[in-house]
């Protein structure tokens, strides 16, 4: 009989600094039957650092189907399994999607164990809009297809997050400038590591940089919506109207702020100040 009590743990691992693994993640690593990872040579370093010797098996893009079957068999025997990738969250520009779907279909438990993810680390320090964003991950490695992908994002009004390899970043920046025009952008490199650095500017400024090394997240401001230029004062009558209709102030502010793509906190403060 299938044992539905077994759990697949999706565990985030450090994106550089080994101290960014949580005590909870270490407990999971110690207690599961096996840890499925992209590259055992890489993951064994992390586990040895914490004196953990749980069995590692590979789960990567080229054996996803087969490895999924093996992991499902373990879960059927009631054995817990952890899935990790080389860095950050599994499934975020990393393997795991096939397995997670199969585990859901078969009715086993899934739990996530939190940790860093390069895109989120980069976003919060970027200085770009964090209210809404699109995590895109890697663009296609073929320039013509990458350009097509970028064109599909032209009208998207929120911050765009890309992963990029150092040998492609200069070409990608030029392509982004060509497609998006001169928007604000940020290169976040080597996050959590010794040479962590944020290069902030416009796309035009960033295209003058050369020899950008290390692991890179590229963030680009979304399309500026003309509505963003609107003054907060001009929106107050609309907030007031909703309040008169019976909306709670916070809800009225939120709806108008969302409609005009302005900060709800700033609009709220302005509304309260004007009262
Ligand atoms: N699963 C990972 C995550 O949750 O962030 C992403 C894995 S993806 C294969 C690797 C890419 O993530 C790198 O090419 C780079 O774009 C980005 N990345 C990973 N670690 C990073 C770091 N320490 N600093 C900046 N970017 C990083």
């Amino acid at each position: 009989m299938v044992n539905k009590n077994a759990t697949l743990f999706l565990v985030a691992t450090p994106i550089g600094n080994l101290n960014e693994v949580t005590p909870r993640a270490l407990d999971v690593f110690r207690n599961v039957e096996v840890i499925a990872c992209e590259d055992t040579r890489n993951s064994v370093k992390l586990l040895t650092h914490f004196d953990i010797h749980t069995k590692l098996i590979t789960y990567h893009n080229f054996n996803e189907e087969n490895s999924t079957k093996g992991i499902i068999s373990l879960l059927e025997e009631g054995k817990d399994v952890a899935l990790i990738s080389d860095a950050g969250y599994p499934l975020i520009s990393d393997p795991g999607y096939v397995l997670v779907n199969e585990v859901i279909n078969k009715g086993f438990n899934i739990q996530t164990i939190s940790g860093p993810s390069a895109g989120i680390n980069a976003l919060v320090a970027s200085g770009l809009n964090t209210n809404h964003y699109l995590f895109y991950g890697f663009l296609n490695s073929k320039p013509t297809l990458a350009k097509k992908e970028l064109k599909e994002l032209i009208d998207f009004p929120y911050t765009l997050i890309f992963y990029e390899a150092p040998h492609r970043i200069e070409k990608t920046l030029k392509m982004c400038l060509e497609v998006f025009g001169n928007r604000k952008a940020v290169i976040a490199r080597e996050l959590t590591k010794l040479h962590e650095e944020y290069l902030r500017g416009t796309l035009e400024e960033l295209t003058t940089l050369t020899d950008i090394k290390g692991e890179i997240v590229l963030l680009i401001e979304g399309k500026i919506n003309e509505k963003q230029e609107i003054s907060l004062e001009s929106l107050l009558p609309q907030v007031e109207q909703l309040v008169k209709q019976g909306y709670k102030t916070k809800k009225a502010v939120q709806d108008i702020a969302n409609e005009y793509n302005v900060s709800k906190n700033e609009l709220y403060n302005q509304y309260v100040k004007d009262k």
Side-chain angles (χ1 to χ4, degrees):
M1 206 183 103
V2 172
N3 184 330
K4 300 287 184 191
N5 296 324
T7 299
L8 173 71
F9 292 94
L10 303 172
V11 187
T13 56
I15 56 170
N17 189 321
L18 284 190
N19 286 327
E20 294 193 345
V21 63
T22 63
R24 189 171 178 222
L26 296 178
D27 274 350
V28 167
F29 291 152
R30 285 192 191 96
N31 292 322
V32 290
E33 182 76 13
V34 295
I35 300 169
C37 65
E38 277 186 274
D39 184 341
T40 52
R41 288 164 306 181
N42 186 44
S43 297
V44 83
K45 287 185 205 145
L46 172 72
L47 295 178
T48 312
H49 181 80
F50 293 101
D51 198 22
I52 292 172
H53 304 283
T54 305
K55 186 178 170 197
L56 286 165
I57 58 169
T58 55
Y59 181 93
H60 49 64
N61 282 330
F62 309 105
N63 73 351
E64 267 191 290
E65 302 285 340
N66 260 340
S67 181
T68 292
K69 284 186 194 141
I71 293 171
I72 294 290
S73 302
L74 288 168
L75 295 168
E76 281 169 350
E77 289 167 28
K79 292 170 178 162
D80 293 338
V81 176
L83 176 69
I84 61 175
S85 65
D86 281 347
Y89 275 79
L91 282 88
I92 300 299
S93 296
D94 269 332
Y97 178 78
V98 173
L99 175 63
V100 165
N101 271 282
E102 195 57 11
V103 169
I104 293 168
N105 286 340
K106 299 271 182 195
F108 295 105
N109 306 313
I110 296 195
Q111 278 185 38
T112 50
I113 307 294
S114 317
S117 190
I120 294 295
N121 281 44
L123 175 68
V124 295
S126 67
L128 299 178
N129 188 343
T130 54
N131 283 342
H132 306 284
Y133 56 87
L134 175 77
F135 172 76
Y136 197 86
F138 289 102
L139 288 160
N140 198 293
S141 57
K142 295 198 178 97
T144 45
L145 295 179
K147 197 167 182 177
K148 194 164 166 264
E149 290 175 314
L150 290 176
K151 281 184 178 166
E152 283 164 9
L153 300 171
I154 288 182
D155 289 327
F156 192 77
Y158 309 120
T159 304
L160 303 167
I161 306 174
F162 300 100
Y163 284 165
E164 193 48 290
H167 67 274
R168 276 203 297 260
I169 186 68
E170 289 176 29
K171 279 195 181 131
T172 300
L173 284 166
K174 287 192 182 110
M175 205 188 283
C176 288
L177 177 60
E178 197 185 319
V179 174
F180 296 132
N182 196 20
R183 296 188 189 176
K184 279 194 214 160
V186 179
I187 291 172
R189 56 177 288 273
E190 293 290 275
L191 300 175
T192 79
K193 302 186 205 175
L194 186 62
H195 298 293
E196 172 162 345
E197 184 178 33
Y198 299 90
L199 303 162
R200 299 183 180 86
T202 60
L203 278 171
E204 217 165 70
E205 286 162 347
L206 295 182
T207 51
T208 63
L209 301 174
T210 52
D211 209 18
I212 307 164
K213 292 203 173 82
E215 297 202 273
I216 293 165
V217 182
L218 169 64
L219 305 101
I220 301 176
E221 153 182 76
K223 182 181 180 185
I224 300 288
N225 187 336
E226 259 132 52
K227 286 177 183 167
Q228 273 182 340
E229 304 299 322
I230 220 154
S231 77
L232 294 176
E233 285 82 359
S234 69
L235 299 176
L236 298 181
Q238 295 192 56
V239 176
E240 186 61 21
Q241 198 180 357
L242 290 183
V243 170
K244 279 189 183 142
Q245 283 170 19
Y247 280 57
K248 293 227 163 77
T249 307
K250 281 201 170 148
K251 171 77 176 131
V253 165
Q254 190 180 17
D255 283 5
I256 300 298
N258 284 347
E259 188 177 340
Y260 289 91
N261 201 14
V262 297
S263 152
K264 70 173 185 292
N265 288 341
E266 285 174 21
L267 183 59
Y268 181 83
N269 290 340
Q270 188 70 42
Y271 180 76
V272 175
K273 204 169 99 193
D274 262 46
K275 276 255 124 201

